[in-house]
Amino acid sequence: MRICILGATGLTGNELLTLIDRAWPGADLALFASRTREVERHGKTLSIRAATDLETEDAPRGDVAFVALDDDHSKRYVPRLLELGYRVIDKSNTYRMDPEVVLGVAGVNHNRVTDATRLVANPNCTRSTRRPQARRSSFASRGKEVRFVQVSEQRAQYGRSK
């Protein structure tokens, strides 16, 4: 399975790397950020490509893409990721109010994500990370077609808990 993270060097992208390592060890990662670079992570060197590389003819195709970018960059790159065959989970505000896009909430309306769903909007206005759940689904089964993604979210809040 090839998983793309667009915004791989940011806070959300970094957390996604940790979660993907746990849920899908051995997944082929296509990592993108604002510029090409290499980063060290847990003793491994990861190659990060410039997001503009997605606009080239030899841009990598894949299965699932997590987009952790601002609205303007999301508008620019989500359509291209869809063209490249990815199922996209977008964390920006860009598609949240689009009636043609599922505003996916795990455990609430995840059944709206069907085999035909190509784009899921993040239902939350924070930049919190989505935690992929490795359940018995074709998405979590290595080597099989991606059919759906189930995610949950963690949030922090300032102040005392009651």
Side-chain angles (χ1 to χ4, degrees):
M1 176 188 328
R2 174 170 280 168
I3 300 173
C4 173
I5 301 176
L6 187 50
T9 59
L11 177 64
T12 300
N14 190 52
E15 184 65 17
L16 281 166
L17 283 168
T18 299
L19 298 171
I20 289 167
D21 281 347
R22 289 183 203 158
W24 302 286
D28 181 22
L29 299 177
L31 306 175
F32 295 88
S34 59
R35 61 184 169 84
T36 298
R37 65 189 105 171
E38 290 187 341
V39 296
E40 289 292 320
R41 182 177 166 74
H42 305 297
K44 291 175 28 180
T45 302
L46 300 177
S47 294
I48 312 289
R49 294 174 62 180
T52 54
D53 288 354
L54 287 167
E55 298 169 330
T56 65
E57 282 186 34
D58 66 337
R61 297 185 172 276
D63 300 300
V64 177
F66 292 92
V67 178
L69 300 174
D70 60 65
D71 295 349
D72 290 335
H73 287 94
S74 174
K75 285 178 197 168
R76 178 176 174 180
Y77 291 111
V78 165
R80 178 62 175 149
L81 290 166
L82 292 168
E83 285 175 16
L84 291 169
Y86 289 95
R87 291 179 184 261
V88 179
I89 299 171
D90 180 52
K91 301 186 67 46
S92 75
N93 294 314
T94 305
Y95 298 98
R96 288 188 192 146
M97 299 303 289
D98 185 331
E100 300 298 314
V101 176
V102 174
L103 184 62
V105 181
V108 176
N109 70 341
H110 60 275
N111 59 337
R112 288 197 53 217
V113 179
T114 68
D115 288 349
T117 303
R118 305 302 300 164
L119 174 60
V120 176
N122 178 6
N124 172 341
C125 61
T126 67
R127 297 282 184 205
S128 62
T129 301
R130 302 263 157 194
R131 181 176 298 263
Q133 301 296 311
R135 296 210 174 158
R136 288 194 183 273
S137 69
S138 59
F139 182 77
S141 300
R142 294 179 194 93
K144 295 197 177 176
E145 181 182 356
V146 176
R147 296 238 168 108
F148 72 91
V149 176
Q150 182 170 353
V151 295
S152 67
E153 101 182 47
Q154 322 302 301
R155 282 205 237 179
Q157 179 177 352
Y158 293 106
R160 291 187 296 158
S161 298
K162 301 214 181 216

